[in-house]
């Protein structure tokens, strides 16, 4: 009998209590926790898949599933968490932060393994609660507002989710995803409202730009790297089963629209971190455009390079009064940081030899024709909106400490590693296509200028309104099909 | 603006109606008594809701405990940055003083009872904790903030909470050490209908009761400290 | 069945309230109403299986018509979570209103976006 | 069956009342009642566990938490000019018609008053610092001049001219006469001008203004007349 992988949940919980007890050693404990988590996840790769029920209550218990997709995402989480923790060591975070972040780790690990609709609800609630706490961590007024806005949006969305799984229960008398047979359309719509609100899709997750851009550097990296993946992964998990497959075109459509609109907003945005936040909206569109392994790989890659971007840019912007891009441009940033920032940019833009290229091309292979066009536009937009970061200048410091940059370096390794291995397996046409798209992106960046676009979707009431509009549209979609 | 509100109301009504219509063909599942008998055989808990809550779905409950802990922690963490109010005026009335103490004692006794028989009758740790919290709330309306602090040993609460949290986690993984699965009910099931039966269900009920009681005490204390009595 | 229909109505009444209310406290109260609607839905589901509480009396040998315990068990979890999140959100509301001296969402949103 | 229908309808109606309620305190208490009736419903439809959880949390603890949170939830920043009878800090705290009206209003809205004295209207440095400015402000002096404020009239008055050519309102003249600074003969009885006392509401606090207008319209005439009689005679 093999041990359950529930130790991936228990060990961060134990560490979180330990951090509360030994407050002074919270940094050390948190580092240990992150390393242990990486080790445990790596051990998972050596063994087969796990498909089991908590303490063997097959008909009544909670179903957990660890397959290859889950392992990939768990690996991403452990890498991002380790580097974020290492990056936070040089700053004055106290034990509160590490307590929140270790509970966050436990809940994200659990959410990836969960294969039970109600269990998904509970772990998402816990993860969201830690997210509210982390966003409001420094207690600036704007952070509090961002957090409260997210809280209201998320509570409403999760109530919809609960209603949806209630209806599913009424028809199947189980919450176990593998045993679902009958699915009324309305329940699919409600469940999707709940999960899309968590997954960083344009229109449904309009809490994201404010929260990501106003949170602390490490928190933004955790949110963008790990947190938005929770909802996205549940959606992919659900869409992979037969009963849910009718919703695939709907999600794919929303995802492509999101990937385009996200880049448009990112292109017009002046505030540095908001550019990255909008870019997350667009990249999550890439992730959710399908349900294949390519999308999982893009989720992995996006987690790595987006958290690297948030760490490097956030560290540079942190002590500045104005956070506009122009102000960052006047400032010089250290060599190592600038170098890793550029590698992350190559990753997200899809330059051959870097990780984003591999997964973007693979996602592209899976798409039908209109999807290909939409994603190409989004790829051009990504290059156009982020190209300006390449112009940041370097400041020479005589001796840069590796210890302070270790977080960046770990993430950079994975951007290059995945990219280098993957690129040799791609066709020449893919490389050519991505190069053309990049050239087009640069052209767009040089020629077009966009003024501020109205942020009407980000208002709390409108964001809530979108939920019900989505319900209506979803119902129309299902009746048409 | 009017138009938007109208649109909101109309679309909500549409979704509402569609939901209600789609509910009409819900199948009815009858649960046979054998199924309940099997639950009792497996868990020895006469209250089958508790059997699900603390045995089959214990994994969920652990997360729930953490949600509760984290929220209390957040309340204390954020309220500490608010200056506490200078003047705290309790209701000073001898009759109320007496009866509030009385109510407190009753609430604690009731809470312990509710917590211990959670697997036999309705109730359970969570309700018990809130009942005890309500008792403390009534007492604290009549007392000074320092008196509350002394009487309820607020400064020690956080260490009790850590202890409870630790024991909850350890209880879930302890079965692994004795060759069973994690989250498994490892204690003997005992005789049906006794308080000391159903394995670790009463133990968890008690731990959750303490956890929630301390949690609601600290919510009440910090809210009153920083906001004043009603 | 009637309980189920009423619960759906309550849920959507709460939802409309969440959108249309401008005061933060009233907004949270509407979220609470919505949550209560969902809870009622689950309880109504368990009521469809049977009308008696799912607590076995050990003296009776063959009880019939017992309610479904699973929806009740899971919804207790959700009540607790709702309470925890609500308490926490009220702290945020308290902090925000003391700094912005208003509870109006539009005003907080407007001022925060400008700064 | 009858039980289900009646319980269900009660719940829906209570939910509607809670959502339609515009006053926070009332809404909180009603929502406590809503939770309590939900708990009773659960008890009758075979879910005593859920009923107990809902009753202990929804009906009791949540209500307490809400009420504490609501207390002093918002501040109403009031700038006032001393004017006996209308608003003045006396030996036993503030008194006057305007103060009593504001106090009733703030209790209604569950806000606390933050009073700050200003010497004259022109000496206000930053208008944004206040939601409301009061203290014998007269409509005719301000109408048309101020863009940043909205005027909310609450009481009718007259304006008289003095021999020196100053325009003064009724309460000011009364105060001046009582303190002996001018004699009743100085007042020109013929130049009577009808106008109203107003609250000045900063444009930024438009919602406060709307709420105040609403409040003044719905205020019981008896209470209002009583306040006026007590303070102005």
């Amino acid at each position: 009998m093999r041990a359950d992988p529930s130790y991936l949940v228990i060990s961060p919980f134990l560490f979180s209590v330990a951090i509360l007890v030994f407050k002074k050693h919270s940094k050390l404990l948190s580092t240990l926790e992150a390393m242990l988590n990486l080790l445990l996840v790596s051990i998972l790769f050596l063994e087969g898949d796990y498909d089991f029920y908590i303490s063997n209550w097959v008909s009544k218990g909670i179903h957990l599933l660890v397959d290859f997709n889950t392992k990939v995402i768990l690996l991403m989480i452990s890498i991002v968490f380790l580097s974020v923790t290492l990056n936070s060591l040089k700053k004055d975070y106290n034990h509160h932060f590490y307590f929140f972040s270790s509970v966050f780790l436990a809940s994200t690990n659990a959410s990836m393994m969960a294969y039970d609709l109600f269990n998904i609800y509970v772990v998402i609630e816990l993860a969201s609660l830690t997210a509210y706490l982390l966003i409001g961590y420094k207690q600036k007024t704007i952070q509090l507002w961002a957090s409260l806005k997210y809280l209201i949006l998320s509570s409403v969305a999760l109530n919809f989710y609960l209603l949806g799984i209630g209806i599913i229960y009424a028809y199947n008398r189980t919450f176990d995803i593998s045993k679902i047979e009958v699915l009324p359309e309305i329940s699919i719509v409600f469940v999707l409202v709940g999960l899309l609100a968590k997954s960083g899709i344009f229109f449904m997750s309009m809490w994201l730009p404010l929260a990501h851009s106003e949170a602390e550097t490490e928190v933004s990296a955790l949110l963008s790297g790990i947190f938005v993946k929770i909802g996205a992964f549940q959606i992919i998990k659900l869409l992979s089963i037969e009963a849910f497959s009718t919703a695939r075109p709907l999600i794919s459509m929303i995802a492509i629209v999101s990937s385009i609109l996200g880049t448009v907003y990112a292109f017009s945005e002046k505030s540095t971190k908001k550019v990255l936040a909008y870019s997350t909206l667009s990249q999550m569109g890439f992730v959710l455009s399908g349900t294949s392994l390519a999308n999982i790989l893009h989720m992995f890659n996006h987690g790595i390079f987006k958290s690297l971007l948030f760490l490097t840019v956030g560290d540079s912007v942190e002590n500045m009064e104005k956070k506009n891009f122009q102000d960052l441009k006047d400032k010089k940033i250290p060599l190592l940081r600038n170098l890793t920032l550029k590698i992350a940019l190559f990753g997200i833009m899809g330059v051959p030899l870097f990780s984003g290229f591999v997964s973007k091309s693979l996602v592209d292979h899976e798409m039908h024709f209109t999807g290909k066009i939409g994603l190409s536009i989004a790829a051009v937009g990504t290059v156009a909106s982020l190209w300006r970061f390449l112009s940041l200048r370097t400041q020479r410091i005589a001796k840069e400490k590796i210890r302070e940059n270790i977080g960046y370096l770990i993430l950079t390794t994975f951007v290059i590693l995945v990219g280098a291995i993957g690129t040799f397996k791609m066709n020449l046409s893919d490389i050519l296509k991505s190069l053309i798209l990049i050239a087009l992106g640069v052209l767009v960046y040089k020629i077009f200028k966009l003024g501020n676009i109205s942020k009407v979707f980000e208002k709390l009431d409108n964001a809530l309104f979108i939920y019900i509009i989505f319900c209506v549209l979803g119902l129309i979609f299902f009746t048409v099909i | 603006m009017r138009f938007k509100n109208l649109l909101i109301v109309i679309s909500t009504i549409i979704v509402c109606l569609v939901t209600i219509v789609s509910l009409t063909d819900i199948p009815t599942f009858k649960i046979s008594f054998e199924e309940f008998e099997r639950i009792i055989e497996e868990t020895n808990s006469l209250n089958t809701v508790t059997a699900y809550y603390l045995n089959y779905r214990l994994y969920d409950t652990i997360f729930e405990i953490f949600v509760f802990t984290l929220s209390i922690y957040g309340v204390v963490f954020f309220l500490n940055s608010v200056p506490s109010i200078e003047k705290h005026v309790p209701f000073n009335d001898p009759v109320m003083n007496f009866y509030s103490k009385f109510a407190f004692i009753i609430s604690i006794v009731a809470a312990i009872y509710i917590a211990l028989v959670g697997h036999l009758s309705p109730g359970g740790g969570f309700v018990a904790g809130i009942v005890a919290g309500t008792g403390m709330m009534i007492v604290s309306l009549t007392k000074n903030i320092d008196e509350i602090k002394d009487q309820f040993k607020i400064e020690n609460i956080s260490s009790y909470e850590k202890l409870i949290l630790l024991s909850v986690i350890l209880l879930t993984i302890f079965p692994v050490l004795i060759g069973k699965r994690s989250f498994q009910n490892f204690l003997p099931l005992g005789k049906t209908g006794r308080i000391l039966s159903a394995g670790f269900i009463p133990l968890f009920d008690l731990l959750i009761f303490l956890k929630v009681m301390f949690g609601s005490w600290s919510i009440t204390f910090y809210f009153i400290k920083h906001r004043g009595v009603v | 069945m009637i309980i189920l229909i009423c619960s759906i109505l309550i849920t959507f009444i709460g939802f409309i309230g969440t959108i249309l209310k401008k005061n933060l406290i009233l907004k949270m109260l509407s979220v609470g109403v919505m949550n209560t609607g969902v809870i009622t839905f689950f309880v109504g589901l368990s009521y469809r299986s049977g009308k008696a509480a799912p607590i076995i009396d050990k003296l009776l040998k063959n009880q019939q018509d017992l309610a479904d315990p699973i929806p009740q068990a899971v919804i207790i979890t959700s009540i607790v979570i709702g309470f925890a999140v609500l308490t926490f959100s009220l702290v945020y509301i308290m902090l925000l209103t003391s700094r912005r001296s208003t509870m109006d969402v539009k005003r907080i949103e407007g001022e925060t976006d400008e700064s | 069956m009858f039980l289900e229908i009646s319980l269900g309808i009660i719940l829906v109606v209570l939910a509607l009342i809670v959502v339609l309620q515009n006053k926070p305190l009332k809404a909180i208490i009603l929502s406590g009642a809503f939770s309590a009736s939900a708990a009773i419903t659960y008890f009758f439809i075979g879910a005593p566990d859920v009923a107990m959880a809902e009753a202990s949390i929804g009906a009791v603890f949540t209500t307490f938490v809400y009420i504490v949170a609501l207390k002093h939830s918002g501040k109403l920043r009031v700038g006032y000019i001393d004017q006996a009878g209308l608003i003045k800090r006396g030996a036993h705290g503030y008194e006057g018609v305007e103060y009593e009206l504001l106090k009733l209003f703030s209790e209604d809205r569950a806000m606390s008053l933050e009073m700050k004295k200003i010497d004259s209207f022109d000496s206000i440095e930053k208008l944004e610092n206040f939601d409301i400015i009061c203290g014998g402000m007269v409509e005719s002096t301000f109408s048309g001049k101020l863009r940043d404020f909205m005027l909310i009239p609450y009481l009718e008055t007259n304006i008289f001219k003095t021999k020196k050519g100053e325009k003064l309102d009724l309460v000011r003249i009364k105060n001046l006469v009582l303190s002996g600074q001018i004699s009743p003969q100085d007042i020109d009885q013929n130049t009577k001008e009808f106008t109203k006392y107003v609250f000045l509401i900063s444009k930024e606090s438009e919602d406060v203004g709307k709420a105040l207008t609403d409040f003044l319209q719905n205020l019981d005439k008896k209470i209002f007349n009583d306040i006026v009689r007590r303070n102005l005679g």
Side-chain angles (χ1 to χ4, degrees):
Chain A
M1 193 180 74
R2 295 181 300 176
D4 300 344
S6 57
Y7 53 73
L8 283 177
V9 180
I10 298 292
S11 90
F13 274 156
L14 274 178
F15 270 104
S16 71
V17 180
I19 284 170
L20 281 186
V21 176
F22 306 104
K23 287 175 187 163
K24 280 182 188 155
H25 307 288
S26 58
K27 290 195 171 185
L28 177 71
L29 281 169
S30 189
T31 320
L32 271 180
E33 173 195 0
M35 285 173 173
L36 182 68
N37 192 49
L38 185 58
L39 187 74
L40 291 175
V41 172
S42 321
I43 290 172
L44 271 186
F45 270 93
L46 300 177
E47 301 176 19
D49 291 353
Y50 290 88
D51 186 355
F52 66 104
Y53 290 80
I54 285 288
S55 59
N56 252 355
W57 298 118
V58 175
S59 58
K60 309 186 188 82
I62 293 167
H63 193 176
L64 298 193
L65 177 74
V66 184
D67 56 4
F68 185 69
N69 290 358
T70 318
K71 286 180 197 166
V72 171
I73 299 302
L74 283 175
L75 181 67
M76 185 272 285
I77 291 173
S78 53
I79 294 164
V80 172
F81 189 81
L82 176 64
S83 31
V84 167
T85 310
L86 289 176
N87 200 51
S88 73
L89 295 182
K90 60 191 177 197
K91 296 177 190 169
D92 59 341
Y93 288 109
N94 52 14
H95 63 276
H96 300 297
F97 174 81
Y98 293 106
F99 173 60
F100 301 151
S101 67
S102 43
V103 178
F104 179 72
L105 178 65
S107 58
T108 43
N109 276 347
S111 77
M112 298 308 166
M113 298 193 290
Y115 212 61
D116 179 287
L117 287 169
F118 192 78
N119 188 232
I120 288 175
Y121 164 79
V122 177
V123 290
I124 285 186
E125 276 282 14
L126 181 56
S128 313
L129 190 59
T130 49
Y132 313 144
L133 283 161
L134 286 169
I135 294 168
Y137 178 70
K138 280 276 157 76
Q139 306 190 6
K140 293 173 191 156
T141 311
I142 190 158
Q143 288 178 344
L144 293 178
W145 171 241
S147 183
L148 185 67
K149 181 170 155 182
Y150 176 32
L151 195 152
I152 293 172
L153 282 172
S154 142
S155 320
V156 172
L158 284 173
N159 273 330
F160 272 117
Y161 178 82
L162 262 184
L163 198 58
I165 66 171
I167 297 172
I168 293 178
Y169 181 84
Y171 281 86
N172 301 286
R173 215 176 158 259
T174 180
F175 288 117
D176 187 346
I177 296 176
S178 59
K179 286 179 192 154
I180 292 173
E181 284 151 5
V182 198
L183 262 182
E185 279 82 25
I186 189 79
S187 67
I188 300 183
V189 173
F190 285 156
V191 166
L192 286 181
V193 169
L195 293 178
L196 281 175
K198 295 277 159 191
S199 61
I201 279 285
F202 205 90
F203 290 127
M204 297 299 285
S205 314
M206 292 322 282
W207 53 272
L208 189 146
L210 191 64
H212 282 214
S213 57
E214 294 305 332
E216 298 300 301
T217 308
E218 273 71 18
V219 178
S220 312
L222 282 181
L223 285 177
S224 199
I226 300 176
F227 186 71
V228 291
K229 309 294 186 296
I230 296 178
F233 191 70
Q234 312 307 337
I235 290 178
I236 292 183
K237 201 188 274 176
L238 286 179
L239 292 186
S240 313
I241 67 165
E242 198 48 44
F244 263 97
S245 56
T246 44
R248 275 183 210 164
L250 178 68
I251 295 295
S252 175
M253 220 154 63
I254 298 170
I256 288 164
V257 171
S258 161
S259 65
I260 295 171
L261 277 180
T263 54
V264 172
Y265 271 78
F267 186 60
S268 72
E269 185 57 52
K270 303 274 182 296
S271 166
T272 318
K273 278 177 90 177
K274 265 202 172 163
V275 176
L276 297 180
Y278 283 120
S279 148
T280 300
L281 288 175
S282 120
Q283 295 297 313
M284 289 318 283
F286 277 91
V287 167
L288 283 176
S289 60
T291 54
S292 61
L293 190 61
N295 298 83
I296 301 288
L297 186 65
H298 193 67
M299 207 190 273
F300 178 91
N301 286 338
H302 176 254
I304 304 268
F305 53 60
K306 188 46 74 63
S307 46
L308 178 52
L309 275 175
F310 264 114
L311 284 183
T312 46
V313 172
D315 278 350
S316 316
V317 185
E318 205 158 62
N319 297 321
M320 286 163 55
E321 246 175 55
K322 285 184 183 168
K323 317 236 156 160
N324 283 345
F325 184 75
Q326 209 53 43
D327 303 301
L328 180 64
K329 216 173 168 185
D330 299 336
K331 207 183 144 195
K332 289 178 174 174
I333 54 179
L335 176 68
L336 210 52
R337 192 189 289 169
N338 204 353
L339 206 65
T340 47
L341 170 64
K342 280 184 175 130
I343 288 170
L345 283 173
F346 290 145
I348 195 170
M349 285 174 192
V351 178
L353 286 177
F354 295 94
S355 63
F357 161 70
V358 180
S359 47
K360 273 186 185 176
S361 312
L362 285 175
V363 169
D364 201 62
H365 288 304
E366 304 281 332
M367 294 303 296
H368 47 86
F369 183 68
T370 37
K372 276 193 166 92
I373 293 177
L375 289 187
S376 305
I377 296 173
V380 171
T382 310
V383 178
S385 54
L386 295 173
W387 189 261
R388 48 187 141 161
F389 283 93
L390 283 176
S391 62
L392 294 179
R393 285 172 302 166
T394 306
Q395 178 191 24
R396 297 210 179 276
I397 297 176
K399 214 176 173 187
E400 282 189 81
K401 280 181 194 156
I402 293 289
R403 197 158 51 107
E404 287 192 351
N405 295 314
I406 186 86
Y408 310 148
L409 292 175
I410 292 173
L411 290 170
T412 316
T413 324
F414 280 89
V415 176
I416 296 174
L417 206 66
V418 176
I421 296 171
T423 307
F424 289 111
K425 295 190 173 169
M426 307 305 292
N427 299 328
L428 199 63
S429 60
D430 291 322
I431 297 178
L432 271 178
K433 191 186 173 190
S434 79
L435 288 177
I436 291 169
L437 290 181
I438 290 167
L440 274 176
V442 180
L443 213 64
V444 170
Y445 168 71
K446 295 279 184 210
I447 295 172
F448 291 103
K449 285 280 172 289
L450 261 184
N452 263 346
I453 306 179
S454 153
K455 302 240 164 72
V456 68
F457 298 121
E458 284 176 46
K459 297 267 182 252
L460 177 58
D461 298 350
N462 297 341
L464 283 169
F465 183 26
I466 293 170
Y467 286 172
I468 201 75
I469 293 285
F470 175 82
C471 289
V472 174
L473 288 182
L475 286 173
I476 293 171
F477 170 84
F478 281 119
T479 41
V480 168
I481 290 276
Chain B
M1 203 59 209
R2 268 288 148 72
F3 177 71
K4 201 181 98 184
N5 289 358
L6 200 68
L7 206 63
I8 290 168
V9 174
I10 289 173
S11 43
T12 314
I13 288 173
I14 291 172
V15 176
C16 186
L17 286 182
V18 172
T19 319
I20 289 173
V21 169
S22 73
L23 284 182
T24 44
D25 56 342
I26 286 187
T28 321
F29 293 101
K30 281 284 172 210
I31 309 167
S32 61
F33 192 65
E34 285 76 58
E35 212 169 306
F36 283 102
E37 275 180 333
R38 200 155 56 244
I39 292 173
I40 294 193
E41 207 176 285
E42 281 170 357
T43 65
N44 227 346
S45 161
L46 290 178
N47 185 346
T48 47
V49 176
T50 310
Y52 275 100
Y53 185 66
L54 285 176
N55 196 345
Y56 300 126
R57 301 188 76 93
L58 178 67
Y59 184 64
D60 276 350
T61 308
I62 300 296
F63 284 101
E64 179 202 320
I65 293 171
F66 263 88
V67 169
F68 192 78
T69 312
L70 213 68
S71 131
I72 308 263
Y73 196 84
V75 169
V76 178
F77 174 62
F78 282 104
L79 274 183
N80 269 335
S81 71
V82 179
S84 48
I85 55 163
E86 317 86 47
K87 229 167 114 191
H88 176 274
V89 192
F91 297 114
N92 214 347
D93 178 44
V95 181
M96 195 165 164
N97 271 344
F98 175 75
Y99 279 109
S100 67
K101 268 176 206 157
F102 192 61
F104 178 68
I105 292 165
I106 286 182
S107 78
I108 291 288
V109 172
I112 292 172
Y113 174 75
I114 295 172
L116 283 179
V117 300
H119 55 299
L120 305 177
S121 61
F126 190 80
V127 176
I130 293 287
V131 168
T134 312
M136 185 266 189
M137 194 180 86
I138 295 170
V139 174
S140 59
L141 294 182
T142 63
K143 286 204 169 10
N144 275 327
I145 201 78
D146 294 330
E147 278 176 340
I148 304 174
K149 200 173 176 179
D150 288 347
Q151 221 152 50
F152 293 96
K153 309 234 172 349
I154 298 289
E155 63 266 39
N156 294 345
I157 277 185
S158 68
S159 43
Y160 298 148
E161 285 195 315
K162 280 171 218 159
L163 200 67
I164 294 165
L165 211 54
L166 191 66
S167 42
V168 165
I169 302 170
L170 289 180
L171 266 178
T172 62
I173 50 165
F174 180 73
V176 178
L177 299 181
I178 54 172
K180 295 188 173 174
R181 282 170 168 268
S182 54
F183 297 93
Q184 193 170 1
N185 197 341
F186 62 92
L187 290 175
L189 292 182
K191 208 176 160 197
T192 318
R194 294 275 178 83
I195 283 184
L196 283 180
S197 66
F200 62 20
I201 290 181
L203 194 57
F204 266 108
D205 259 337
L206 204 64
L207 284 173
I208 293 175
F209 156 60
L210 290 173
K211 181 94 203 65
V212 174
M213 182 180 78
F214 289 137
S216 54
W217 283 7
S218 48
I219 287 183
T220 314
F221 174 75
Y222 282 97
F223 267 53
I224 288 180
K225 183 179 169 199
H226 295 283
R227 304 295 291 188
V229 192
V230 185
Chain C
M1 198 60 215
I2 289 145
I3 298 288
L4 289 185
I5 292 172
C6 289
S7 68
I8 300 285
L9 285 175
I10 295 168
T11 312
F12 283 98
I13 288 170
F15 179 72
I16 292 184
T18 345
I19 301 187
L20 295 186
K21 289 290 167 194
K22 299 284 169 274
N23 184 307
L24 274 173
I25 290 268
L26 292 175
K27 244 186 168 62
M28 286 318 290
L29 278 173
S30 301
V31 175
V33 169
M34 196 178 170
N35 199 9
T36 311
V38 176
I39 292 163
T40 315
F41 182 79
F42 273 72
V43 175
L45 275 186
S46 98
Y47 186 55
R48 280 180 71 79
S49 302
K51 304 211 176 330
I55 296 165
I56 317 286
D57 195 331
K58 59 179 173 175
L59 296 176
L60 296 176
K61 269 286 163 274
N62 196 3
Q63 277 169 290
Q64 288 301 329
D65 213 24
L66 291 174
D68 188 355
I70 302 176
Q72 295 189 19
V74 297
I75 212 61
I76 289 176
T77 312
S78 133
I79 294 177
V80 177
I81 291 174
F83 169 69
V85 172
L86 174 88
T87 317
F88 177 69
S89 72
L90 285 178
V91 174
Y92 268 12
I93 291 178
M94 273 151 54
L95 286 175
L96 266 177
T97 45
S98 68
R99 291 191 198 175
R100 289 273 180 240
S101 62
T102 177
M103 270 195 178
D104 196 273
V105 172
K106 288 239 157 113
R107 228 175 129 198
I108 295 176
E109 206 160 36
E111 283 177 20
T112 319
D113 286 353
E114 278 159 27
S115 62
Chain D
M1 196 62 185
F2 174 72
L3 187 74
E4 282 171 47
I5 295 175
S6 47
L7 286 173
I9 288 173
I10 289 172
L11 275 186
V12 172
V13 169
L14 270 175
L16 260 177
I17 294 175
V18 171
V19 168
L20 291 178
Q21 188 57 249
N22 264 329
K23 291 174 183 163
L25 194 62
K26 271 191 185 170
I28 289 168
I29 289 163
L30 278 170
S31 115
F34 172 63
S35 280
S37 52
I40 292 168
T41 311
Y42 302 157
F43 190 79
F44 279 117
I45 59 175
D49 279 274
V50 186
M52 281 174 89
E54 179 71 30
S56 60
I57 295 168
V60 181
F61 218 79
T62 309
T63 313
F64 165 77
V65 173
Y66 263 123
I67 290 177
V68 175
L70 183 70
K71 199 195 166 210
H72 302 267
S73 52
K75 272 186 204 153
L76 202 60
R77 297 160 300 177
V78 182
Y80 70 97
I81 302 169
D82 256 353
Q83 197 63 247
L86 291 177
I87 189 161
K88 191 174 170 63
R89 179 150 206 174
H92 310 289
Y94 294 97
E95 51 195 30
V97 178
E98 289 185 342
Y99 177 70
E100 284 189 32
L101 285 176
L102 283 178
K103 191 150 189 292
L104 279 178
F105 171 66
S106 64
E107 277 166 6
D108 185 50
R109 288 270 142 178
M111 290 195 272
S112 66
L113 291 174
E114 190 184 79
M115 311 289 283
K116 202 174 175 197
K117 192 177 165 181
I118 45 182
D119 293 332
S120 74
F121 183 74
D122 304 317
S123 72
I124 307 170
E125 290 162 8
K126 268 188 160 178
L127 295 173
E128 305 95 70
N129 286 344
F130 299 104
D131 294 314
I132 297 187
I133 292 175
C134 60
M137 301 290 170
V138 182
E139 192 180 21
S140 60
T141 31
F142 290 111
S143 59
K145 279 186 201 169
L146 287 168
R147 286 241 181 98
D148 302 339
F149 283 91
M150 69 196 236
L151 308 177
I152 295 179
Y154 65 94
L155 183 65
E156 291 182 349
T157 183
N158 303 321
I159 285 191
F160 298 97
K161 253 188 186 163
T162 57
K163 294 242 167 91
K164 287 174 192 167
E166 283 176 309
K167 275 186 178 177
L168 290 172
D169 58 86
L170 199 60
V171 178
R172 279 208 176 81
I173 287 188
K174 199 178 130 200
N175 290 338
L176 289 176
V177 170
L178 284 179
S179 63
Q181 290 183 23
I182 48 173
S183 60
Q185 290 84 19
D186 287 345
I187 300 158
D188 191 354
Q189 296 284 350
N190 303 322
T191 56
K192 215 166 168 183
E193 212 182 303
F194 285 103
T195 183
K196 284 167 178 173
Y197 287 116
V198 289
F199 289 114
L200 298 184
I201 309 280
S202 134
K203 267 276 153 63
E204 287 182 5
S205 334
E206 218 169 331
D207 48 321
V208 175
K210 273 181 198 155
L212 186 60
T213 325
D214 223 40
F215 169 76
L216 288 173
Q217 272 168 6
N218 294 332
L219 190 65
D220 197 349
K221 274 277 166 306
K222 241 184 189 170
I223 301 175
F224 183 74
N225 289 337
D226 184 51
I227 292 173
V228 173
R229 194 151 30 78
R230 257 190 291 123
N231 289 292
L232 297 174

